[in-house]
Amino acid sequence: MTTKNLLVELFVEELPPKALKKLGDAFAGVLFEQLKAQGLVAEGAVLAAFASPRRLAAHVTAVAAQAADKAVSQKLMPVSVGLDAAGNATPALLKKLQALGADASAVVGLKRAPDGKAEALFYDSMVTGVTLADGLQKALLEAIAKLPIPKVMTYQLESGCELPGWSSVSFVRPAHGLVALHGSTVVPVEALGLKAGNTTHGHRFEAAVDPVVLKDADSYAATLQKDGAVIASFAGRKAEIARQLAAAAAKVGGGATAIEDDALLDEVTALVERPNVLICEFDKQFLDVPQECLILTMKANQKYFPLLDAAGKLTNKFLVVSNITPDDASAVIGGNERVVRPRLADAKFFFDQDRKKTLASRVSGLDKVVYHNKLGTQGERVQRVRAIAEAIANRIDVSLVAAVQRAAELAKTDLVTDMVGEFPELQGIMGRYYALNDGLSVDVADAIEDHYKPRFAGDALPRGTVGLIVALADKLETLVGMFGIGNLPTGDKDPFALRRHALGVIRMLVEKEVSVGLDELVKGAVPVFGDKIQDASAALVDFIYDRFAGSLREQGYSAQEVDAVLALRPQRLGDVAKRLAAVRAFAALPEAPALAAANKRITNILKKSDAPVGAFSAGVLVEPAEINLYQALDRLGAVARNYLAKGDYTESLRTLAGLHDSVQAFFESVMVNAEDIGLRNNRLWLLSNLSEEFNRVADLSRLAA
């Protein structure tokens, strides 16, 4: 089968920049899969996706002009329906064959084969392979239909339709051109009122020729860059922008670097077709404003790349990615500098105005901000966070109570400042600046910023203990409150980010080795809500352990290891990693499988039996095996508990592995459910003590195969 390379391009008006990369990948991916499904693409074919502000395209290697013919066996109907008693074709069978393009002569060639409980008739035929024109038409329409577009535009066609000016189509943006080249041959396909050709358009202002004529599929990218002044590849433009940013920063000197922001780089890549990075600057007086404010306004509003010095401090220079390359760029540079000045002036105004009022004076303003219609205002929420934080501080370090109370009380006050009102992303960050301006301690100021941490996976944890306590209290208040009113995450919906809050609590408890137990933390937060919520602490604790289990599995621990440790619901989550290491070391011992199975057997025996009454008595022991087990347990159990008290879980379990022979001998020669009630009761007590000793670190029965 001879093949050629295929190029398909859809030329459109400017596409949504934040969705461009996804649109380009989806368009090319679906097109390729559809061609492959129809047998038009050879094995090992390579797909290249292209996406620029005004085009979506795909280049596919090794595409056939027509797919190979293939044999098809089609089930017709049960034999009892298709043939009468004499073996002749029924009218139903003849009608079915006629629909398939066959006649009565095909009856003798039909095959019989079992189909479930009955026997069925099958018709073997050779299906002609689809042509590229038909296959690409189907693939193109499918690729357009499956684009991840939340909203489409409906627009009227001006030509090439039944009613020009009235006939309409729907797409993400109006489409104005379609290219389909198989080698150098145009493939006759249509879409969105357009017929395929071999011409496209380049840069709006800098194309050398218009339209751009494409000689063949393989010259697409090179021709567009040469004649159209367009870098069609999204990845190619992104790499070129990154290269130019680095070169411009080096030109500024002083160790300057452009701020790293992959999302911004992607967005800018989707805004330009021929990038040209220019160096601009702003008045140094604006550097008195916190750099986070300036960086955010330049990135979010203007799509600029601020420059940082070698120490990571903002400079008064920034980089602009222009879509034009004039001989004299001064007008472009001057225009961007004029545009950014009002933005920075606004930020300076907000900062100056906000500092005229202390954070403490803003506390009452939180009473006017609704948090949740069932949980009250932000002011009420702050009081709850303060009470929870105070309780945690009393358990961790009493000397921090005053600082914790102050930080919790002021943590949300920057929500009612002008700066955070304009830039919500700066909540906490601005609170820290304003707290320092008010003369508050660094611990309190840091806690105001850090109580939102960790904001996302991999984010830094609070810097100090005050911040840690307030952050725990803030997240616990959210979790307990939302669970208490029944606002639980469902499927992929989690509007209050409860999963993220739970993982944040877990990370803080684990990485900071907080000494307060999880149950105590959760249950202690319930009373501060009064009658606003139901007590859902049990469900919340289960939810947190479930999140913890998922996190541990992602870290490489097996499901069995995680299940064994978390089955005990360890209260100090900071110990879990050591418990898991101990379980893993224990599982590697030769005695482990038998002991895990024995532990599971003990668990089942105790579940099926009535709880033993009275107390264990060594004097009631009769059989040598049970006496031996008791003595071994008494001796090794004391050693294991000593290791446990020191936090050496690995040696504790390794010590208990020495019970292997005694346990095996016990089950081989001792009848637990003896007829004598006293004897049976004593043996159940012995097994209960053994189970308790084994399961102090983890539930070892969960390791049984």
Side-chain angles (χ1 to χ4, degrees), residues 412-451:
K412 304 293 182 184
T413 50
D414 66 351
L415 296 177
V416 291
T417 62
D418 291 338
M419 185 72 83
V420 175
E422 181 71 14
F423 301 110
E425 302 93 330
L426 296 176
Q427 61 183 6
I429 295 171
M430 295 313 302
R432 180 181 185 277
Y433 280 108
Y434 297 146
L436 292 174
N437 183 70
D438 293 348
L440 298 175
S441 69
V442 173
D443 281 349
V444 171
D446 286 347
I448 290 173
E449 178 181 351
D450 290 353
H451 86 280

Side-chain angles (χ1 to χ4, degrees), residues 110-297:
L110 297 180
K111 290 183 179 179
R112 296 187 181 198
D115 183 50
K117 294 182 179 179
E119 193 176 26
L121 294 170
F122 290 83
Y123 175 59
D124 292 342
S125 62
M126 187 66 70
V127 176
T128 303
V130 67
T131 63
L132 178 58
D134 291 338
L136 180 57
Q137 182 67 63
K138 178 183 176 183
L140 180 59
L141 295 178
E142 193 75 10
I144 292 172
K146 288 189 174 180
L147 282 177
I149 308 169
K151 290 183 180 180
V152 296
M153 293 177 62
T154 299
Y155 58 95
Q156 284 69 45
L157 299 174
E158 297 177 0
S159 62
C161 59
E162 186 178 352
L163 297 171
W166 292 92
S167 297
S168 62
V169 292
S170 296
F171 192 55
V172 59
R173 292 290 186 271
H176 297 294
L178 177 63
V179 174
L181 288 174
H182 187 228
S184 59
T185 305
V186 174
V187 184
V189 293
E190 299 180 12
L192 302 174
L194 303 167
K195 292 184 179 180
N198 67 341
T199 61
T200 184
H201 301 275
H203 196 284
R204 276 194 185 276
F205 311 111
E206 299 188 347
V209 295
D210 188 60
V212 175
V213 179
L214 301 172
K215 183 179 68 174
D216 55 39
D218 291 345
S219 63
Y220 174 70
T223 302
L224 256 185
Q225 187 161 359
K226 176 176 174 287
D227 296 341
V230 170
I231 301 175
S233 165
F234 188 95
R237 279 197 320 285
K238 184 175 179 179
E240 175 61 16
I241 293 172
R243 185 194 67 77
Q244 290 190 36
L245 289 172
K251 186 176 179 181
V252 170
T257 56
I259 197 161
E260 292 185 11
D261 188 325
D262 202 55
L264 176 62
L265 184 56
D266 277 346
E267 189 173 0
V268 170
T269 302
L271 286 169
V272 299
E273 292 195 306
R274 187 188 189 186
N276 178 33
V277 174
L278 303 171
I279 303 169
C280 305
E281 62 180 48
F282 58 82
D283 197 318
K284 287 186 177 181
Q285 65 166 324
F286 293 119
L287 292 176
D288 293 337
V289 180
Q291 70 177 42
E292 292 89 345
C293 308
L294 304 181
I295 290 171
L296 183 60
T297 192

Side-chain angles (χ1 to χ4, degrees), residues 348-367:
K348 187 175 188 305
F349 174 78
F350 292 144
F351 184 56
D352 291 341
Q353 289 299 111
D354 285 343
R355 287 183 295 170
K356 291 178 181 179
K357 292 178 65 176
T358 64
L359 291 181
S361 70
R362 297 179 184 274
V363 173
S364 59
L366 295 173
D367 294 330

